[in-house]
Amino acid sequence: MAEAEEDCHTDLVRTDDNDRSGEANLQAELQMFRAQWMFELAPGVSSSGLEPLPCRASSRGPGVKSVDARGKQEIAKEEKAKELFLKAVEEERNGALYEAIKFYRLAMQLVPDIEFKITYTRSPDGDGVGKRCIEDNKEDDKMADLLSDFQQQLTLQESSVKLCQPEVDVSQTHISALPLEVLMYIFRWVVSSDLDLRSLEQLSLVCRGFYICARDPEIWHQVCLKIWGRSCNKLVPYASWREMFLERPRVRFDGVYVSKTKYIRQGEQSLDGFYRAWHQVEYYRYLRFFPDGQVMMLTTPEDPQSIVPRLRTKNTRTDAILLGHYRLSQETDNQTKVFAVIMKKKEEKPVDYHKYRYFRRVPAQETDHSFHVGLQLCSSGRQTFNKLVWIHHSCHITYRSTGETAVTTFDIDKMYTPLFFARVKSFTAFSEKPL
């Protein structure tokens, strides 16, 4: 019994010694890790961990081997972080943003500055990202020359070239049987006198033949002439008339420019004098441009849902609408401005001669009122040419008897809020005349 107890006691002592030595080794490794971590945080030192530790850590023989092993681990960790980062880039390119965020987070947990160590020459699967970038560039080049590509394909198909072919057998006459001149006339009806180029672009998605017809330079040239007039005789610096239409500043015709103004004014004092009411005034301004150079302006407290349908044509019966003409002006400061002269509709009122039968009255002087408006054309957000900023507003009163004109210029303050464009589908729902 005594020998068994002595053996048991010896085993316990050995276990305690082993635990103490293991704990000492763990403390030593922890101290080495802290020293290496502080060394990496020092300025001018890379995080790869390949430099030796201070003398206290390198003075031990096993410590040098552990530093080398740790350097290899850091290199492996950096490689893993690179793979995760490139995987995140690929997921982001494919549109999987949540997956990309997950991989970005994992990569930065391994190496915080991994973004600055990526050369983008390899991918997680070895060659996927690099090859995919090359393929994307080739696809972009191909899309840029898509029109000539379609024209060559149609030329090489048959001796009797047709712009399109029926996808299935039909018993009725297919649109491909129409002559090219008739098809182009249909396309002009699609564009219409309202310059509905959005419908033309949608029509070009039907087939390759319609794509070629929709890129006809003559259509786009006539559109540019209707918008800018004689100032667009030269194509330079644009590569095509379509590019001029897309990039050159212009007002939009498929909707209205709307602004909403709010202010608070003081009302009349109550009869008992205890309180004075305050009123919140809210009204809208609407501007509707037409391709023929005419413009409509309306200021009203009614909301857009009830007013916008009345602005489709110039023959509206709304009494408060002002009609006029506008022009585009591109100044030397490379800013496009819109200047318009608008006035109220002239209504012929019959003269009531019986009103002045029994007494003599001096008739009031006949006057003509016109408003001169200046706006700066801007782009905001993802849309182009969708914002008009006030730069001038004045009222001109001309006396017919003398021909004199009195001008009143209004101060452009916070009451003149910018007008933003809103597309109205009903404005281009049907065509009245071809282009």
Side-chain angles (χ1 to χ4, degrees), residues 104-287:
Y104 278 134
R105 186 176 298 167
L106 292 175
M108 296 185 71
Q109 286 177 354
L110 293 176
V111 180
D113 58 345
I114 187 61
E115 181 181 0
F116 304 101
K117 299 182 179 182
I118 295 291
T119 57
Y120 300 99
T121 57
R122 58 186 300 273
S123 65
D125 55 357
D127 57 353
V129 173
K131 290 184 178 179
R132 192 170 291 108
C133 292
I134 297 175
E135 292 174 359
D136 291 342
N137 293 333
K138 291 182 179 179
E139 289 295 329
D140 293 340
D141 296 339
K142 187 176 180 180
M143 288 295 295
D145 203 18
L146 191 60
L147 180 61
S148 60
D149 187 22
F150 283 170
Q151 290 175 343
Q152 292 177 3
Q153 291 181 19
L154 291 176
T155 305
L156 297 176
Q157 280 180 357
E158 296 180 0
S159 57
S160 59
V161 178
K162 289 186 178 181
L163 287 176
C164 55
Q165 299 290 339
E167 187 175 359
V168 295
D169 295 335
V170 293
S171 58
Q172 300 177 350
T173 302
H174 192 258
I175 194 173
S176 60
L178 295 176
L180 180 60
E181 293 79 6
V182 177
L183 277 176
M184 295 306 301
Y185 189 66
I186 294 174
F187 274 65
R188 292 176 184 273
W189 267 100
V190 172
V191 178
S192 75
S193 58
D194 296 326
L195 302 187
D196 184 14
L197 279 309
R198 177 187 289 268
S199 297
L200 181 66
E201 291 294 306
Q202 292 176 346
L203 188 61
S204 68
L205 302 177
V206 174
C207 62
R208 289 175 292 183
F210 281 16
Y211 184 90
I212 295 174
C213 291
R215 295 299 188 273
D216 182 32
E218 186 62 28
I219 291 180
W220 293 96
H221 187 197
Q222 288 191 12
V223 170
C224 294
L225 284 175
K226 287 183 70 68
I227 296 176
W228 294 288
R230 298 178 181 178
S231 62
C232 68
N233 289 330
K234 295 182 180 180
L235 192 58
V236 179
Y238 305 101
S240 63
W241 296 110
R242 181 175 179 271
E243 183 180 343
M244 176 186 287
F245 173 81
L246 295 176
E247 297 184 2
R248 186 171 177 178
R250 55 181 170 80
V251 292
R252 299 181 60 176
F253 311 117
D254 55 344
V256 294
Y257 289 87
V258 186
S259 70
K260 183 178 180 181
T261 304
K262 288 183 180 180
Y263 67 92
I264 297 176
R265 67 173 180 85
Q266 192 174 14
E268 295 291 336
Q269 193 172 6
S270 62
L271 296 177
D272 52 10
F274 283 105
Y275 70 92
R276 184 185 296 273
W278 289 85
H279 302 278
Q280 179 176 348
V281 182
E282 180 179 298
Y283 63 92
Y284 298 86
R285 282 194 183 98
Y286 301 90
L287 269 177

Side-chain angles (χ1 to χ4, degrees), residues 270-435:
S270 62
L271 296 177
D272 52 10
F274 283 105
Y275 70 92
R276 184 185 296 273
W278 289 85
H279 302 278
Q280 179 176 348
V281 182
E282 180 179 298
Y283 63 92
Y284 298 86
R285 282 194 183 98
Y286 301 90
L287 269 177
R288 167 88 159 99
F289 295 94
F290 294 91
D292 59 355
Q294 296 193 30
V295 60
M296 289 194 308
M297 181 176 175
L298 176 63
T299 303
T300 176
E302 299 185 48
D303 58 353
Q305 293 182 354
S306 59
I307 289 297
V308 168
R310 308 181 199 174
L311 302 178
R312 190 192 180 283
T313 62
K314 291 168 283 188
N315 300 323
T316 180
R317 295 183 179 180
T318 306
D319 296 334
I321 281 187
L322 303 175
L323 290 174
H325 292 80
Y326 72 93
R327 64 178 178 88
L328 295 175
S329 175
Q330 189 164 7
E331 305 293 341
T332 55
D333 54 358
N334 204 21
Q335 293 181 350
T336 302
K337 297 179 175 61
V338 183
F339 296 100
V341 179
I342 53 180
M343 59 185 63
K344 196 173 182 180
K345 288 183 178 180
K346 294 182 179 180
E347 298 179 357
E348 296 294 336
K349 295 183 179 180
V351 180
D352 188 6
Y353 293 100
H354 297 282
K355 187 175 181 180
Y356 309 104
R357 185 175 179 178
Y358 299 105
F359 60 91
R360 181 176 296 178
R361 182 178 177 182
V362 179
Q365 286 187 336
E366 294 184 353
T367 58
D368 293 329
H369 292 73
S370 63
F371 296 91
H372 292 229
V373 174
L375 302 160
Q376 182 177 338
L377 185 62
C378 309
S379 299
S380 65
R382 296 182 179 180
Q383 297 185 7
T384 56
F385 323 129
N386 66 330
K387 183 179 178 181
L388 292 174
V389 180
W390 288 89
I391 57 177
H392 177 75
H393 190 202
S394 61
C395 177
H396 294 237
I397 303 176
T398 303
Y399 298 93
R400 295 181 182 178
S401 59
T402 61
E404 296 180 355
T405 302
V407 180
T408 303
T409 304
F410 304 104
D411 294 331
I412 305 299
D413 53 10
K414 62 181 180 179
M415 305 298 293
Y416 288 87
T417 56
L419 296 100
F420 290 91
F421 180 79
R423 179 172 169 256
V424 184
K425 295 182 180 180
S426 61
F427 287 179
T428 55
F430 56 90
S431 302
E432 296 180 353
K433 293 187 298 183
L435 175 64

